[in-house]
Amino acid sequence: MSEPCCQITDEKYLKLDEVINQYKGKAGGLIPVLHQAQLIFGYLPKDVQIRVAEGLGIPLSEVYSVITFYSLFSLQPRGKHTIGVCLGTACYVKGAAEILQALEENLGVKVGESTEDGLFSLMQTRCIGACGLAPVLTIGEDVYGRLTPEMLPDILKRYEQ
Amino acid sequence: MEMFRSHVLICGGAGCLSTGCKAVLAQFLAELKAHSLEEEVKVVETGCIGTCDLGPVIVVYPEGVFYQKVKVDDVKEIVEEHLLKGRYVTRLLYERPVSGEQIPHYGDIDFFRRQKRIALRNVGLIDPESIEEYIAQDGYFALGKILTEYTPEQVIEELKASGLRGRGGAGFPTGLKWEFTRNAPGNPKYVVCNADEGDPGAFMDRSVLEGDPHSVIEAMAIAAYAIGAKQGYVYVRAEYPLAVERLSHAMDQARQYGMLGENILNTGFSFDLEIRVGAGAFVCGEETALIASIEGKRGEPNPKPPFPATSGLWGKPTLINNVETYANIPAIFQRGAEWFAQIGTEKSKGTKVFALAGKVRNTGLVEVPMGTTLREIIFDLGGGIPEGKKFKAAQTGGPSGGCLTEKDLDLPIDFESLKAAGSMMGSGGLIVMDEDNCMVDVARFFLEFTQDESCGKCTPCRVGTKRMLEILTRITKGEGREEDLGLLEELAENIQATALCGLGQSAPNPVLSTIKNFRDEYIAHIRDKECPAKVCRALMKYTITSELCKGCGLCARYCPEKAITGEPKKPYTIDQSLCIKCGNCLDKCPFNAIELK
C-alpha cells in the first residue's frame, strides 16, 4: 500500500497520542479513540492497537475484541475510495443485489476486498437512510441514488483520476 | 432584525443532497446577487422536507409555492419570474398523479395536506444550524416554562397524562419510564438518546437530528430535570455523519445561549450532553447493548431485569428514549397534555412518523395521527404503486416486524392493531412491496440481516438464526423439503422464547409472518420448484419462444455455457441442464423471444 492514507509515520503516532491523552481516564473513551485512530491511519494495524491499549491502560485483548465486534473498524488497509452499497430493505426490494453484483464484475473484486491498484474497496453497508432514492451507494461521502447497473461505469470513472 | 420579503427554503435532506441541492443553493445565491435581491430574499437550507424522490425540492415563501426536481439551470427562471415578477414557474410545479393537475401550494399537495406534523414540526421549515430559528418557532419555551414553573413530579404527571409511548419500537409509556428512573435509588443518573436508527428502511430519526436537532436537546434537558440527571449522551450511528455534525453544532449554540451547561436559564439547573458515535453494529439499538457501547465495550446486550431505569450506564439509573419520542416532548409541553391526548387512538396517542419506501410512488417521510389506515398512507399520501403494478404487502417494523397484506389495508394503525395483525410498529419503517417481490426471498433477506448482526452472545440467536437462514436459502434455491415449513416454525418459536434480547426474540418474525400470509408461495418454491414472483434465480427457466425466434444466433454467441444451440434462421433451443440462468440471452435478444418462467 502506497496510499498516503495508509503510510505509518511518526507524525501520525504523535496525533494518536494527542487523541489518547484527550480521552485518558475518561470512562468509555475506547471507541472514540479507535474512531480517531482509524481516521489517522486509515485502518487499525497491530502497532496502533498496542499504542491505544498502553495509552488508555486497557488490555490489548480488549482493544482487539472491541475492534472486531464493530463492522466499521478495519484491520486491513482500505482502498483510496470506499464504495458502500446499501443493502437496507428499501434498496434490496429495488434491486441492490444486482447493483452489488454488477460492481463486483466491474471492479473484479468481491465484497470486502480492495482492487489491486488500491483505488477502490467494495463494502456493503447497512441502511444509510436514503431509502427514498433506493437503490443507493456511497463513495466516500458522495451518495448516488436511483441506480441501475448501466450507470456504474460512469460513476466509477469519476474516481479513477 | 433583518427583514426579507421572500424566503427560499431549499431541502438539504439526504435525498436532495444526492440530487444536487448544494449546487442549486449556490446558484440561487449567485442569481440573487446578480439581480441585487440578496437583501430582499433569504435562502435557507432546511432539513428533509419529506418528498425524497422529487428532489431537489424548494419552497418559496410567503406564498408557499413548492417546486420539484429543480436543476441549476432552472434557478435563473425562478429568480426572474417568481421572485422578480411574481409569476410561478409552472413547469416545475407538482402534478397530481393520474389527473396531471398542477398544485402550486405546498399545503395543498396530498402528501403534505394529509399529514399532522408534531415530531417533524420544524423539519424542512427552519434552518437546522440556527438556534434563533428554532427559538422563533417557540423552541426552548417548554424548557423555560418547566424550569421556572414545574416541579419534576409535575413534569412526569403531565407526560403521563399525554399518553406518549416510546417511538423506538416497543411502545412503552414514556411518562412511566421517566417515573421509574426518577424513583430509582442511585446517583448520578443519566439521560440517553437512542439515535442508533438501525432498522433498514427507517430514517425519521436521521431526519429529526439533521433537520431539527434542538428539539432533541430541549427534550433531553427536560428529561434530565424530571429524573434528576446532570449528564446526557446521544448515541448516533456512524452512518449518519451529517446528523452528528448538525447535532454537535446545535449543542455548541445551545451552550452559548445558556440552554445547556451550568445554570441553564439562570435557574440553577445544570445539564450537559455528549455525543457518542456508534461503529456499525445493529444490535446497539437494543438499549442494554447501547449502554455497553457507550461504556466503550463490545455492544452485547444484557438480560433484563435489571432495566436501565434501575441499573443502566455504569450501573446507574438511566433513562433511554429514542429520537422521535424526544422530538414530541417540547410540543407536548408547549401545547399541553390534553391537546396531545386527543390525537390518535384510545391506547396510542399522538402521531407516528413513517418512512415510506419501496414500491410506492411518493417515497419519503410522513407523519400521520395514530389510527390512520395503511390504505391512506400508501395510496393517498404515497400515491399508490408505480407502473400499474399490484400491491402485495407492506413490511412494518423492519427485520423485527412482519408483513401486512391486502386484507389489512383498512386497519387503523397503532401499536396494538399492528401487533394483533402479526407485525409491529417498530421504529416506523414501511416498505411497500408489489407483485414482483418474492416473499420467501424477502424473509430470507431479513434473516440474513439479523443473522449477520447477531452479536453471538446467546445460542438461540447465534445458531438458531443460522439454521433458519440455511433452510430459507435452500428453499430459494429449489432444494426445499416438505418438512421445512414445520421446521422453520418450530425453530422460530424456540428462538422467540429463549433469545437473550429483542434482536433475537424478534428475528423469526418476518419468517413467521410471511409463512402465515404467503404459505402458498413457500409451497410453490418447495413443492413445485417455482418462484411465482420470478425473483429466485435458481428456480427460473429461460426458454425460447419459437414463433418469435428469428434464428439470429445472438443468444448463442453470448451464452457463456454454450447451452443454446440451433441453425441460422431457424428457432434456437436452450439445454436446461447446461443453463446457469445468467440472463445474458434475455438481455441480448432483439426480438423478445426469450421467456423467463
Side-chain angles (χ1 to χ4, degrees):
Chain A
M1 270 298 165
S2 59
E3 266 60 55
C5 78
C6 303
Q7 274 171 2
I8 293 182
T9 59
D10 287 347
E11 201 187 318
K12 288 188 175 176
Y13 277 110
L14 285 178
K15 263 199 207 162
L16 178 63
D17 290 343
E18 264 175 50
V19 175
I20 291 172
N21 284 332
Q22 199 188 322
Y23 285 94
K24 208 172 185 164
K26 225 173 153 182
L30 176 58
I31 293 173
V33 168
L34 291 176
H35 270 301
Q36 295 292 324
Q38 184 153 298
L39 272 182
I40 297 168
F41 294 90
Y43 70 118
L44 299 168
K46 193 172 172 189
D47 290 343
V48 171
Q49 295 173 36
I50 293 172
R51 191 80 148 218
V52 170
E54 284 172 355
L56 292 175
I58 294 174
L60 179 59
S61 59
E62 198 178 318
V63 173
Y64 180 76
S65 122
V66 168
I67 291 173
T68 50
F69 183 84
Y70 295 98
S71 63
L72 286 181
F73 294 136
S74 173
L75 297 170
Q76 310 295 333
R78 291 211 174 148
K80 191 171 169 201
H81 304 289
T82 299
I83 305 175
V85 180
C86 179
L87 285 189
T89 322
C91 290
Y92 188 75
V93 301
K94 286 202 160 179
E98 286 164 37
I99 301 293
L100 191 61
Q101 199 193 345
L103 272 172
E104 287 183 338
E105 283 165 15
N106 256 299
L107 298 170
V109 294
K110 295 266 164 222
V111 172
E113 295 176 354
S114 303
T115 53
E116 261 179 33
D117 56 9
L119 205 52
F120 296 107
S121 291
L122 182 61
M123 301 286 163
Q124 58 183 56
T125 65
R126 291 305 178 210
C127 182
I128 63 160
C131 312
L133 298 168
V136 298
L137 63 77
T138 55
I139 301 186
E141 292 194 352
D142 304 331
V143 181
Y144 296 92
R146 289 192 204 105
L147 295 168
T148 57
E150 293 75 48
M151 292 160 69
L152 298 171
D154 280 344
I155 294 174
L156 292 178
K157 215 167 273 168
R158 291 180 215 177
Y159 296 86
E160 296 166 352
Q161 293 148 340
Chain B
M1 191 179 155
E2 292 169 292
M3 295 292 281
F4 296 93
R5 67 171 170 87
S6 282
H7 285 79
V8 177
L9 306 192
I10 301 183
C11 176
C16 292
L17 276 175
S18 71
T19 42
C21 70
K22 286 274 182 197
V24 171
L25 188 137
Q27 189 66 20
F28 259 106
L29 294 176
E31 284 293 334
L32 289 174
K33 196 155 188 237
H35 290 85
S36 305
L37 288 174
E38 68 261 50
E39 286 178 5
E40 292 177 40
V41 179
K42 191 178 182 190
V43 180
V44 181
E45 183 188 331
T46 70
C48 178
I49 288 180
T51 47
C52 301
D53 56 336
L54 301 180
V57 299
I58 70 168
V59 185
V60 182
Y61 283 99
E63 303 93 328
V65 173
F66 179 88
Y67 290 120
Q68 62 176 21
K69 298 184 182 167
V70 178
K71 301 269 173 314
V72 170
D73 297 342
D74 300 325
V75 173
K76 189 166 193 263
E77 192 177 342
I78 297 175
V79 170
E80 290 179 353
E81 285 295 305
H82 188 139
L83 294 169
L84 271 177
K85 298 176 193 154
R87 293 195 292 235
Y88 299 169
V89 182
T90 49
R91 65 182 179 87
L92 297 173
L93 295 176
Y94 175 81
E95 286 176 7
R96 182 171 278 159
V98 190
S99 74
E101 174 199 356
Q102 284 195 326
I103 305 174
H105 296 107
Y106 169 85
D108 297 329
I109 297 171
D110 284 342
F111 186 83
F112 299 109
R113 192 170 57 86
R114 317 255 329 207
Q115 293 194 45
K116 182 163 188 69
R117 294 188 151 215
I118 299 175
L120 300 178
R121 64 195 176 282
N122 293 325
V123 176
L125 198 65
I126 64 169
D127 176 358
E129 301 205 339
S130 158
I131 191 172
E132 290 92 345
E133 292 199 11
Y134 180 70
I135 292 171
Q137 296 287 335
D138 292 334
Y140 291 111
F141 173 79
L143 178 64
K145 186 163 89 170
I146 284 168
L147 293 184
T148 51
E149 295 172 17
Y150 283 53
T151 64
E153 289 79 7
Q154 284 172 318
V155 175
I156 290 172
E157 282 314 311
E158 178 104 4
L159 193 58
K160 277 160 75 180
S162 76
L164 178 68
R165 295 169 63 175
R167 300 300 195 237
F172 191 79
T174 310
L176 218 51
K177 207 180 212 183
W178 289 29
E179 190 173 57
F180 288 157
T181 322
R182 171 160 187 84
N183 292 340
N187 252 312
K189 293 178 179 174
Y190 297 101
V191 176
V192 173
C193 174
N194 183 347
D196 190 50
E197 183 174 52
D199 251 16
F203 50 104
M204 57 286 291
D205 293 351
R206 167 188 187 146
S207 178
V208 170
L209 287 176
E210 290 182 0
D212 190 20
H214 285 286
S215 68
V216 175
I217 298 174
E218 181 178 5
M220 290 185 76
I222 293 171
Y225 175 73
I227 67 153
K230 281 189 156 47
Q231 179 64 44
Y233 294 90
V234 184
Y235 187 88
V236 193
R237 62 199 290 253
E239 286 86 345
Y240 290 175
L242 185 63
V244 174
E245 190 188 312
R246 295 247 168 96
L247 181 66
S248 116
H249 178 82
M251 279 161 45
D252 289 343
Q253 281 185 325
R255 282 188 201 104
Q256 276 169 25
Y257 277 70
M259 306 291 178
L260 268 185
E262 294 294 319
N263 193 18
I264 292 173
L265 293 166
N266 276 323
T267 57
F269 169 67
S270 301
F271 173 67
D272 213 332
L273 272 178
E274 226 180 89
I275 299 178
R276 285 296 162 92
V277 180
F282 174 70
V283 69
C284 289
E286 199 281 338
E287 54 187 10
T288 58
L290 185 147
I291 286 170
S293 187
I294 295 181
E295 290 173 350
K297 302 183 201 149
R298 292 162 68 94
E300 289 176 349
N302 284 300
K304 292 191 280 192
F307 288 92
T310 50
S311 175
L313 201 51
W314 293 297
K316 302 294 180 191
T318 302
L319 173 75
I320 302 191
N321 284 131
N322 102 314
V323 173
E324 189 187 335
T325 314
Y326 280 126
N328 275 290
I329 286 168
I332 290 173
F333 285 97
Q334 274 165 32
R335 308 188 59 177
E338 261 178 51
W339 162 79
F340 189 81
Q342 66 183 13
I343 304 163
T345 62
E346 194 197 334
K347 287 189 175 161
S348 304
K349 300 300 184 191
T351 56
K352 180 72 193 85
V353 184
F354 289 97
L356 203 48
K359 306 287 183 65
V360 62
R361 206 172 260 129
N362 305 329
T363 54
L365 285 183
V366 294
E367 183 171 357
V368 290
M370 294 275 191
T372 304
T373 66
L374 197 58
R375 188 185 299 280
E376 289 172 273
I377 298 175
I378 297 174
F379 290 91
D380 297 347
L381 285 92
I385 319 294
E387 296 168 30
K389 299 270 181 179
K390 200 166 166 287
F391 169 78
K392 184 171 189 179
Q395 175 82 16
T396 65
S400 311
C403 61
L404 301 169
T405 60
E406 185 104 41
K407 66 175 175 13
D408 305 310
L409 278 176
D410 292 308
L411 190 76
I413 294 182
D414 68 8
F415 287 108
E416 277 72 29
S417 70
L418 283 180
K419 218 172 166 185
S423 182
M424 65 186 275
M425 183 74 82
S427 51
L430 209 168
I431 314 277
V432 182
M433 285 170 275
D434 68 10
E435 52 195 297
D436 291 343
N437 291 114
C438 166
M439 301 314 288
V440 184
D441 182 60
V442 166
R444 194 199 54 81
F445 164 77
F446 280 120
L447 215 66
E448 193 174 31
F449 177 88
T450 34
Q451 152 59 202
D452 192 42
E453 290 294 349
S454 170
C455 76
K457 185 168 174 173
C458 75
T459 321
C461 180
R462 184 184 65 241
V463 183
T465 57
K466 200 170 183 73
R467 291 292 96 85
M468 284 183 77
L469 179 61
E470 284 165 3
I471 297 173
L472 283 167
T473 306
R474 77 169 175 243
I475 295 177
T476 56
K477 284 197 167 152
E479 294 155 13
R481 305 168 196 157
E482 283 288 327
E483 68 272 19
D484 277 349
L485 285 186
L487 205 54
L488 278 174
E489 282 167 331
E490 190 188 329
L491 269 168
E493 277 162 33
N494 280 321
I495 297 170
Q496 281 179 329
T498 55
L500 177 61
C501 81
L503 187 151
Q505 289 158 13
S506 62
N509 290 359
V511 181
L512 287 178
S513 135
T514 47
I515 292 183
K516 188 177 140 216
N517 289 300
F518 297 95
R519 204 176 185 96
D520 291 349
E521 215 167 309
Y522 276 89
I523 292 176
H525 282 75
I526 295 172
R527 206 170 288 162
D528 312 328
K529 312 292 175 207
E530 258 179 33
C531 174
K534 299 194 173 73
V535 172
C536 301
R537 265 178 179 242
L539 295 177
M540 290 188 295
K541 220 165 120 182
Y542 289 85
T543 52
I544 296 176
T545 316
S546 43
E547 295 82 58
L548 294 172
C549 179
K550 304 260 191 266
C552 71
L554 204 59
C555 53
R557 215 177 315 147
Y558 281 96
C559 177
E561 298 299 310
K562 310 237 177 299
I564 307 181
T565 48
E567 285 172 41
K569 302 204 173 155
K570 284 187 187 157
Y572 276 56
T573 50
I574 303 178
D575 181 348
Q576 297 298 335
S577 64
L578 294 175
C579 174
I580 56 159
K581 288 146 184 155
C582 67
N584 269 358
C585 51
L586 184 78
D587 292 342
K588 297 294 177 209
C589 178
F591 308 107
N592 291 325
I594 312 268
E595 202 190 355
L596 186 58
K597 279 196 270 204

